[in-house]
Amino acid sequence: MRKFLIAGNWKMNGTIDETKTLLSGLLAGSYDDTKADMLVCPPYTSLETASNMLQDSKIAVGGQDMSVHQKGAYTAEISATMLLTVGASFVILGHSERRQYHAESDQLVNAKAKAAIDAILTPIICVGETLDQREAGQTEQIIGMQIDGTLEGFSADMIKKSVIAYEPVWAIGTGKTATPEMAQDVHKFIRERVAGIDKDAAESVQILYGGSVKPDNAKDLLSQPDIDGALVGGAALKADDFLKIINAV
Ligand code: 13P
């Protein structure tokens, strides 16, 4: 049985003070941690504060990106080791905003994911089609390419150490959500694609849905057989909403 993972991608939100307020709200709430794990991914500058505040809780901390390099002359980059030293255990990779604004390719995401696994960080590898691609009937072709590219050279064991997130670009921050059936179809397609590498790994890998997940649509999305959690943007910035989402599993 796959456990649910409810992850909050705070994006570029959360000064130290805002981080403390939001996390105090999450710590004051409750959820069934036998069913679902909670993860928060604040900006780099708030990671240490978050790790310190959450050290006695079950809530995990993750980064939103990392460098493919280990160290050196890469201005403004953050390495896997640096994330580990501030208490991160996950890292989001290949988010569509990184692909769109920083021209990240499947090949780069693949190399970053390998570096994350080597460092014992769990990569959350993001894939998703644009509205034009969906309307042109290319969703499976695009997602298939992204899965093949980002998981290139992965062993079964590496897949088991990873999380995949399906985030249709047209559903991110737009208030438009994929219907549970649309999301389930793509999640099933992803799992079948991963099964082409290894069947066991495909059964065990968590596939999260992201794109305007809110308290009122979480239950329907999370009840789909191949949806194992959520990668939440806007609604992760409100403790009550994020708690409602994890309590919808
Ligand atoms: P929203 O939940 O704000 O649509 O963002 C989704 C997302 O991009 C999470 O990574």
Side-chain angles (χ1 to χ4, degrees), residues 138-245:
Q138 294 170 341
T139 300
E140 292 197 347
Q141 184 194 332
I142 296 295
I143 302 295
M145 262 169 40
Q146 291 177 341
I147 290 292
D148 294 351
T150 55
L151 300 185
E152 168 85 42
F154 269 48
S155 63
D157 185 53
M158 288 164 77
I159 295 167
K160 288 179 187 172
K161 290 176 177 163
S162 305
V163 172
I164 297 171
Y166 168 56
E167 297 206 307
V169 178
W170 49 270
I172 295 176
T174 57
K176 283 188 209 159
T177 326
T179 63
E181 296 72 26
M182 278 159 88
Q184 166 57 25
D185 282 351
V186 179
H187 281 235
K188 183 163 176 277
F189 173 80
I190 292 173
R191 204 176 297 287
E192 285 168 1
R193 195 82 169 197
V194 176
I197 305 174
D198 187 86
K199 281 207 173 70
D200 272 1
E203 271 314 301
S204 69
V205 72
Q206 289 166 312
I207 308 177
L208 316 184
Y209 170 79
S212 299
V213 177
K214 307 286 177 203
D216 61 359
N217 59 24
K219 200 173 186 61
D220 286 345
L221 286 160
L222 294 168
S223 60
Q224 298 297 314
D226 287 296
I227 299 185
D228 309 312
L231 184 53
V232 186
L237 299 175
K238 293 184 191 139
D240 281 357
D241 283 359
F242 199 53
L243 285 160
K244 279 183 193 150
I245 292 170

Side-chain angles (χ1 to χ4, degrees), residues 23 27 46-57 61 86-87:
L23 294 181
L27 288 168
S46 284
L47 283 172
E48 190 167 13
T49 302
S51 299
N52 288 339
M53 277 185 81
L54 299 176
Q55 64 183 348
D56 295 326
S57 77
V61 174
V86 287

